[in-house]
Amino acid sequence: MGTAEYGAATWKSDLALALLAALFAFAVNAWAGFGQLTDAGGDNDNLLRLVEVRDLLAGQGWFDLHQYRMGLEGGFVMHWSRLVDAPIAMIVIAASALTGSRPLGEDVAQVLWPALLFWSTLFFTARAARSFGGGGAVLPAILVGAAGYYFIGIYDPGALDHHNVQLMLTMASLALLLEASARRWAALLSGLCAALTLAVGMETVPYVATIGVCVSLLFVADPGGERAVARDFGLGFAGVAALAFVTTVSPSAWSAAQCDAFSVAQFVVAAIGGVGLAAIASIEPAAGSRRRRLGSLAALGVVLGVVVVALFPQCLSAPYASLDPRLKELWLDHIDEAQSLFTLLVRDPARVAARYATPLVAIILMVLRLRRGGWRRQDSLVAALLAVAFVVGAWQVRGTTFSIAFAVVPLAAWIAKWRARAEISSSLGVALRLAAVWLVSINPVWTGVAAAASVAFEKGKPIADGGTADKTCEKKASFAPFGGMADATVLTISNLGAPVLAYSGHRVFAGPYHRNVAGNLLALDAFLGSADNARAIVEAHRVGLVAVCPGNVETMILTQKAPQGFLAGLLRGSVPDWLEPVSEKGSPIELYRVRQAG
């Protein structure tokens, strides 16, 4: 593809098209009243990120990632990165200064930050599509990408979780790498984005590793065109990994390996891998022949393997291998985004279409392209990331966010191909095929099909109450009673942990985070045991309030597990004398005050 495809004019037009799409999505959200700001939809991570930003602005240390208001006394250390907290906090500071209101400043940040990420992700999607399928693929990429990203929901107002940041950075790394052979500095910037997305969270390890392997293998196959790309990518990756390490990890923790967060383990692997790749690409004896390149890279891979096995063997186990069995049974196994494709096929087959259809279509397109011959470097990069993302999505449904995004690139090229045919042919058949290609490529179409199928499957079942009652306790208004009470420790289920922190000054034991083992187990002991056992826990830990959400799925799971337990008793109306009901009858959250002794 010629260098004209990467000129300044195309860069500006792609940015403008992405901006128009982002502004349209912003207008739709504004017309709807930014409802996500008052109804988080059960997304604990977005709320806890807001709490984390507030803590940072209130003076909590940059390196101090404790969540002091969750867990046992003293809290626990979160595994999130300050790299996401910092820009959100800066927007809050600027917006608060302009409006004179901190709450309004927070609202501005909750709206502006996801919108900016939506815009930038669309831009890099358009750049990737241009590199892959030419200028004709840009508009389809913008439309298909915008529709897919909007309905996935990770760019909704209030979406402060780091998954949208990771998707943007991963797409940026891909787009820059696709044009690296024709654009100076692109490979260096691609390595920078790959290191940043790794520093933000470990969920993108499969994609970062795939990009690194692709860069290495392309260098083996074509040293003339890929040597500088491999060198610059390696330098950018290692350099930014080092910078992220020293700026986000406390010097006192430099020797502590953490498998679920960026630490010395990830830094050492990134530094050795990046510097090693750059060195092999730069030294003639190592890069002189295909056999030498392959041998040198294989040796580098062996070194990385030995380092991990010798120094960080704990990171080779499954992510939740050491999780307490009770938490796995009563929490992890019920996390919606952690379900596998095979589980969905059994429990929720209609949802499979919404999450796996467009990636599967894109994979079929890539297989057909391979069979026809003429395979290019762009095809290798896109196909590898798409395949890995599909496998990750089959393991856990959360991975489909990335496979849906990567699928946009070949789907946009497919649409561009049929648009070109339609322009030179007035055939009704071509027009119908073009329409079908558009429909098949747009993820929300499959979401609609899934919704229709779900209704068909559930035909005959009782229709859910269409009222406005917040049965699952996800709306901000449901937590208003907490604000009028003196700060206390609240005993409640994990699904209510983050909202209590975000909407009040209270603290909680439970929250859906794998590091909060002790706090979650304590809450389980209290709710699943007898009322007397719960009272002992309440008194030992000076609990002031007990909050129950009868309609929340977690409440139902716990009451089914222990039908004679403390929580089940409260739902039956069996309130022990050491608790005083303080909420109105019929409230989404049943609130009880602990009576003080004497």
Side-chain angles (χ1 to χ4, degrees):
M1 194 167 293
T3 56
E5 289 290 349
Y6 308 112
T10 64
W11 185 88
K12 292 177 181 178
S13 66
D14 295 347
L15 197 64
L17 277 174
L19 178 59
L20 287 175
L23 288 175
F24 179 77
F26 185 90
V28 171
N29 286 324
W31 179 75
F34 299 121
Q36 297 90 338
L37 299 187
T38 55
D39 183 357
D43 196 315
N44 290 275
D45 291 354
N46 291 334
L47 294 175
L48 197 64
R49 175 71 70 180
L50 178 60
V51 173
E52 192 166 284
V53 170
R54 287 173 179 168
D55 293 342
L56 179 64
L57 292 175
Q60 186 165 325
W62 173 262
F63 295 117
D64 183 5
L65 295 178
H66 277 82
Q67 184 43 251
Y68 291 101
R69 291 199 293 136
M70 182 177 286
L72 298 186
E73 292 76 1
F76 71 103
V77 181
M78 282 294 293
H79 61 290
W80 291 348
S81 174
R82 287 293 194 201
L83 293 176
V84 180
D85 295 338
I88 299 172
M90 287 190 287
I91 296 175
V92 171
I93 291 173
S96 299
L98 290 173
T99 62
S101 168
R102 174 57 65 85
L104 183 55
E106 288 183 356
D107 287 344
V108 170
Q110 291 186 81
V111 170
L112 185 59
W113 176 242
L116 290 173
L117 291 173
F118 185 80
W119 176 23
S120 53
T121 306
L122 272 182
F123 167 68
F124 287 117
T125 302
R127 297 302 295 177
R130 180 181 290 279
S131 298
F132 185 86
V138 172
L139 181 60
I142 292 289
L143 296 177
V144 172
Y149 299 154
Y150 183 85
F151 283 96
I152 286 173
I154 63 171
Y155 297 100
D156 285 346
L160 303 184
D161 190 14
H162 55 270
H163 296 139
N164 46 22
V165 179
Q166 289 178 305
L167 180 56
M168 184 273 290
L169 289 170
T170 306
M171 188 61 76
S173 184
L174 170 62
L176 289 162
L177 201 54
L178 287 172
E179 58 185 74
S181 58
R183 193 176 184 88
R184 192 182 179 188
W185 304 112
L188 186 72
L189 294 175
S190 177
L192 179 154
C193 291
L196 278 179
T197 192
L198 186 66
V200 167
M202 295 302 103
E203 296 92 339
T204 52
V205 167
Y207 315 122
V208 173
T210 300
I211 291 172
V213 170
C214 286
V215 170
S216 301
L217 294 180
L218 288 171
F219 166 56
V220 171
D222 180 18
E226 300 293 335
R227 187 168 183 173
V229 172
R231 180 198 64 210
D232 293 348
F233 179 89
L235 291 175
F237 186 66
V240 174
L243 183 62
F245 180 70
V246 299
T247 56
T248 63
V249 180
S250 171
S252 63
W254 280 359
S255 61
Q258 304 290 341
C259 302
D260 60 350
F262 195 73
S263 66
V264 65
Q266 293 78 10
F267 163 62
V268 167
V269 172
I272 294 175
V275 171
L277 177 60
I280 293 170
S282 302
I283 300 172
E284 188 60 36
S289 67
R290 177 173 294 189
R291 180 175 296 179
R292 289 181 180 179
R293 293 190 296 274
L294 190 58
S296 299
L297 290 170
L300 176 60
V302 170
V303 170
L304 290 173
V306 169
V307 167
V308 173
V309 171
L311 300 180
F312 317 113
Q314 67 273 29
C315 295
L316 295 175
S317 60
Y320 301 109
S322 60
L323 189 66
D324 185 278
R326 286 183 295 168
L327 293 181
K328 184 178 185 304
E329 175 193 358
L330 298 173
W331 168 57
L332 184 62
D333 289 348
H334 299 279
I335 296 178
D336 195 42
E337 63 179 14
Q339 304 305 308
S340 69
L341 168 60
F342 309 104
T343 302
L344 286 184
L345 285 170
V346 175
R347 297 181 181 176
D348 190 6
R351 192 177 173 206
V352 173
R355 282 290 182 169
Y356 297 92
T358 54
L360 185 58
V361 172
I363 288 174
I364 293 172
L365 291 175
M366 297 306 298
V367 171
L368 293 176
R369 182 184 288 269
L370 176 61
R371 291 182 61 184
R372 286 195 298 265
W375 197 254
R376 311 162 300 165
R377 72 183 297 274
Q378 290 97 324
D379 300 319
S380 301
L381 290 164
V382 173
L385 279 172
L386 180 58
V388 169
F390 191 87
V391 171
V392 174
W395 173 52
Q396 286 193 341
V397 70
R398 74 182 77 191
T400 57
T401 297
F402 285 82
S403 61
I404 289 171
F406 297 143
V408 172
V409 178
L411 290 172
W414 188 35
I415 294 172
K417 176 182 174 182
W418 280 99
R419 287 181 70 205
R421 289 184 182 180
E423 288 176 358
I424 60 176
S425 172
S426 57
S427 167
L428 177 61
V430 172
L432 291 175
R433 289 178 183 176
L434 175 59
V437 167
W438 270 107
L439 289 174
V440 168
S441 301
I442 297 176
N443 188 261
V445 171
W446 292 97
T447 304
V449 170
S454 180
V455 170
F457 290 152
E458 296 178 3
K459 189 174 182 180
K461 293 184 179 181
I463 299 176
D465 182 8
T468 59
D470 182 22
K471 292 186 176 181
T472 54
C473 307
E474 297 175 350
K475 297 180 180 179
K476 183 178 181 179
S478 298
F479 294 84
F482 288 92
M485 300 180 179
D487 292 347
T489 297
V490 181
L491 174 62
T492 188
I493 58 175
S494 66
N495 277 347
L496 267 60
V500 169
L501 265 59
Y503 301 139
S504 74
H506 302 293
R507 74 178 312 277
V508 297
F509 295 123
Y513 303 99
H514 66 274
R515 286 192 176 188
N516 184 30
V517 174
N520 287 329
L521 289 177
L522 185 72
L524 287 180
D525 289 339
F527 282 132
L528 299 180
S530 65
D532 289 339
N533 183 62
R535 181 176 186 177
I537 292 174
V538 163
E539 292 178 348
H541 295 273
R542 299 182 180 180
V543 173
L545 296 169
V546 176
V548 176
C549 180
N552 193 280
V553 65
E554 184 181 355
T555 302
M556 300 176 188
I557 292 169
L558 296 184
T559 53
Q560 289 173 4
K561 177 68 175 178
Q564 302 302 318
F566 171 58
L567 179 59
L570 288 178
L571 294 181
R572 290 194 303 268
S574 177
V575 181
D577 57 8
W578 49 272
L579 284 181
E580 174 190 3
V582 294
S583 59
E584 296 181 4
K585 187 175 181 180
S587 299
I589 299 177
E590 296 179 0
L591 200 56
Y592 304 89
R593 183 182 291 112
V594 177
R595 298 180 190 273
Q596 299 301 316

